[in-house]
Amino acid sequence: VRAMFALSRRRFAEAIALLKTAIEIDPYSPWLSSRLALAYHLDGQAESSVEQINQAISLFPGHEGSNLYGAIILGYNGETARAVELAADLSRRLPYLDMATSVHAYALACASRAVEARTLLERLDWLSRERFVMRTMNAAALVVLEDPEAAIAELRRSAEIRCPWFFQV
């Protein structure tokens, strides 16, 4: 939790150090390994983030954290086919995890599959009329889809509903 808070405050070196120390204590924690990859990603260390997420995916295939962060990191770094595969697997296995659907839309957008990405975002929009939907990650997909106004609107809605992932984005 301290590492995630440090990331939200843009204190990347601190978060990376915390996560490395935690991994020394528990080297078989899939969430720690995946979050270290995210920390590298947010710090702009593309090579380290891709290397770390590939290691997490290898050690913990199919794990929620590995798939979620893997889709984000690999999609951003041009490995779009693999990103879509990870996100699709996660959203298929956990259909009620809205973030998985948002990240799937992001991976599809990175892969230039705009129609499919927008379809997933529309589905989340419809669901939000019936129940609480974590929409914060939709903003990333909308940026890739070159719709910054809609991305800002999503972030505003996320702030209004106090989405727990808002501070991460």
Side-chain angles (χ1 to χ4, degrees):
V1 171
R2 287 177 49 208
M4 295 306 276
F5 184 73
L7 289 175
S8 76
R9 311 279 23 117
R10 300 183 58 82
R11 294 177 2 209
F12 303 123
E14 179 183 342
I16 290 167
L18 283 167
L19 288 164
K20 283 183 173 181
T21 300
I23 289 171
E24 287 177 10
I25 296 167
D26 185 2
Y28 297 104
S29 170
W31 280 111
L32 292 175
S33 292
S34 300
R35 285 188 178 131
L36 179 58
L38 177 67
Y40 285 136
H41 175 72
L42 295 174
D43 193 31
Q45 298 183 43
E47 188 175 316
S48 294
S49 70
V50 170
E51 181 180 319
Q52 181 64 37
I53 200 60
N54 281 329
Q55 180 182 2
I57 291 167
S58 172
L59 286 172
F60 314 107
H63 184 269
E64 296 86 7
S66 301
N67 280 29
L68 186 73
Y69 295 137
I72 294 167
I73 292 166
L74 296 174
Y76 183 83
N77 287 291
E79 294 185 37
T80 58
R82 191 155 176 232
V84 169
E85 177 185 326
L86 291 169
D89 175 62
L90 184 61
S91 63
R92 186 174 32 258
R93 286 186 296 116
L94 301 172
Y96 298 108
L97 180 62
D98 303 323
M99 279 188 25
T101 304
S102 291
V103 170
H104 190 188
Y106 171 74
L108 288 165
C110 288
S112 300
R113 293 167 59 181
V115 172
E116 293 169 87
R118 287 197 185 277
T119 299
L120 290 179
L121 294 175
E122 287 173 15
R123 185 171 76 193
L124 286 173
D125 190 46
W126 275 101
L127 284 172
S128 72
R129 296 173 185 159
E130 299 173 5
R131 65 173 174 79
F132 176 80
V133 171
M134 292 196 324
R135 319 171 61 102
T136 307
M137 296 299 289
N138 293 3
L142 290 165
V143 167
V144 175
L145 293 169
E146 299 179 358
D147 195 349
E149 292 83 15
I152 296 295
E154 282 292 347
L155 291 174
R156 285 191 178 120
R157 275 184 246 151
S158 295
E160 288 170 7
I161 64 171
R162 294 179 174 32
C163 178
W165 279 87
F166 179 73
F167 78 96
Q168 294 288 328
V169 175

